[in-house]
């Protein structure tokens, strides 16, 4: 839980420092170059903090899984839990985007920023709100991917 909170705070800070000054840039190329630079910065900071050695984690899912067709097909419990967690996150995101005012604003700005502004949608808010949610969801995603692997290589992107 602490990792989710820290990643959310890191995402908010990154958005304020790196992306907010470029929000009204004439070229999207500046935002793309900044995104690549921030990616390299965060990856190398993680390597400095945690090191490049492979780290082992204990498996938190103890369910043995399913054996089907007389033992010819075996699905591990970790795989099933990972799929279920991913589906739950997907359903929650779909409900958020399709059934909330903030989600509809994000869709409108993504489709046509000029028209969304004319409709009275604050075009800066849909950029700021995801910077709070995305790092937390990425952390949850990374945790669920660690469910399926007892070892993690920090130099390899999830």
């Amino acid at each position: 839980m602490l990792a989710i909170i820290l990643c959310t705070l890191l995402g908010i800070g990154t958005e304020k420092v790196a992306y907010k000054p470029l929000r009204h840039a004439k070229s999207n190329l500046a935002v793309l170059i900044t995104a690549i630079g921030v990616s390299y910065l965060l990856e190398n900071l993680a390597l400095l903090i945690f090191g490049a050695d492979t780290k082992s984690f204990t498996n938190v899912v103890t369910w043995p899984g399913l054996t089907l067709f007389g033992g010819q097909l075996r699905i591990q419990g970790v795989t099933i839990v990972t799929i279920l967690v991913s589906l739950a996150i997907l359903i929650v995101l779909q409900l958020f985007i399709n059934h909330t005012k903030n989600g509809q604003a994000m869709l409108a700005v993504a489709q046509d920023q000029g028209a969304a502004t004319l409709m009275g949608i604050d075009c800066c808010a849909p950029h700021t709100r995801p910077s709070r949610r995305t790092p937390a969801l990425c952390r949850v995603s990374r945790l669920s991917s660690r469910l399926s692997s007892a070892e993690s290589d920090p130099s390899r992107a999830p």
Side-chain angles (χ1 to χ4, degrees):
M1 188 64 157
L2 179 64
I4 294 172
I5 294 168
L6 290 175
C7 286
T8 301
L9 293 174
L10 182 64
I12 292 170
T14 301
E15 193 273 333
K16 286 187 186 224
V17 171
Y19 297 117
K20 191 172 184 177
L22 298 173
R23 187 152 305 140
H24 300 290
K26 292 188 186 340
S27 171
N28 288 334
L29 188 60
V31 178
L32 177 66
I33 292 169
T34 302
I36 293 169
V38 168
S39 172
Y40 278 126
L41 175 72
L42 293 175
E43 184 177 344
N44 287 314
L45 279 175
L47 285 173
L48 282 173
I49 293 169
F50 302 111
D53 297 328
T54 301
K55 302 197 180 6
S56 297
F57 298 93
T58 59
N59 196 350
V60 295
V61 178
T62 57
W63 181 39
L66 297 174
T67 303
L68 304 171
F69 305 112
Q72 293 180 342
L73 176 65
R74 187 175 186 297
I75 304 173
Q76 294 180 351
V78 173
T79 304
I80 295 170
V81 169
T82 301
I83 291 170
L84 291 176
V85 168
S86 299
L87 284 174
I89 290 172
L90 179 69
I91 290 168
V92 168
L93 284 175
Q94 284 295 319
L95 290 173
F96 170 77
I97 289 173
N98 293 322
H99 298 290
T100 65
K101 192 174 181 180
N102 289 338
Q104 292 294 306
M106 288 171 58
L107 282 175
V109 171
Q111 187 171 11
D112 188 351
Q113 188 171 354
T117 303
L118 291 174
M119 297 297 291
I121 296 172
D122 179 16
C123 289
C124 293
H127 293 290
T128 305
R129 288 184 199 117
S131 71
R132 297 178 187 145
R133 286 184 285 272
T134 303
L137 286 173
C138 287
R139 189 66 209 150
V140 170
S141 168
R142 183 66 179 141
L143 288 174
S144 68
S145 73
R146 286 213 175 136
L147 287 176
S148 62
S149 174
E151 288 189 355
S152 176
D153 185 359
S155 65
R156 186 177 52 90

